């Protein structure tokens, strides 16, 4: 490694007390506007030397309190985000209900598409609930996910109920006795009479 070549007129700004230019640098006045900064640096250095000996424990406790407060803020933020995720299906219920109302009760491509979406989307959301809430979970278990998951499942079930109601109005669900006429067992007539019953 090549050593530094110093000329007679060069000044190293990273000087220690043993260096030749240290005293010269200390004697030169501060540039304009930097006197106050130099005074503040000297004051901070002096106070830090004094406080390092006396206030180490106080600084550690203040740092621990600040860290605990920060952890509580993170937990509260995750909880708020989980509840926002849980209430997101509620925002879709009214929109999809309006879309199903506007599509009518006749069987066409648009109404079947909207009704199918209102059936499949809540089922997929309920099945993927753990994956949806995984990003909000805390390894220490400080974030309570039970209420958020229950609310999420409940709103998706309501959405599913709206879709099933629409399917029953379109006569796609077997809700009447005529829908089950294929499973009725017809009795064989044993005897036939020409006299009509009264």
């Amino acid at each position: 490694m090549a050593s530094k070549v110093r000329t007679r007129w060069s000044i190293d700004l990273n000087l220690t007390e043993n260096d030749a230019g240290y005293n010269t640098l200390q004697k030169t006045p501060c540039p304009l506007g930097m006197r106050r900064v130099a005074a503040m640096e000297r004051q901070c250095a002096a106070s830090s030397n004094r406080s390092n000996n006396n206030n180490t424990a106080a600084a550690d406790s203040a740092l621990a309190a600040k860290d605990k407060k920060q952890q509580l803020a993170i937990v509260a933020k995750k909880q708020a985000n989980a509840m926002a995720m849980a209430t997101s299906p509620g925002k879709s219920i009214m929109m999809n209900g309006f879309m199903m109302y506007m599509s009518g009760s006749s069987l066409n491509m648009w109404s079947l598409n909207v009704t199918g979406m209102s059936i499949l989307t809540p089922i997929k959301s309920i099945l993927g609930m753990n994956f949806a809430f995984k990003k909000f979970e805390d390894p220490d278990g400080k974030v309570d996910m039970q209420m958020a998951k229950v609310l999420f499942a409940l709103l998706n079930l309501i959405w599913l109920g709206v879709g099933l109601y629409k399917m029953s109005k379109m006569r796609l669900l077997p809700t009447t006795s005529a829908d089950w006429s294929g499973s009725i067992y017809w009795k064989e007539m044993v005897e036939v009479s020409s006299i009509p019953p009264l």
Side-chain angles (χ1 to χ4, degrees), residues 22-41:
Y22 182 77
N23 291 331
T24 310
L25 200 59
Q26 292 297 322
K27 291 177 186 173
T28 57
C30 293
L32 292 175
M34 294 301 290
R35 289 190 180 117
R36 192 179 318 158
V37 173
M40 288 172 65
E41 284 179 354

Side-chain angles (χ1 to χ4, degrees), residues 96-116:
N96 283 302
F98 181 72
M99 286 172 56
M100 286 187 278
Y101 170 74
M102 293 303 289
S103 66
S105 61
S106 62
L107 292 175
N108 56 35
M109 192 168 112
W110 173 254
S111 61
L112 287 175
N113 202 5
V114 170
T115 308

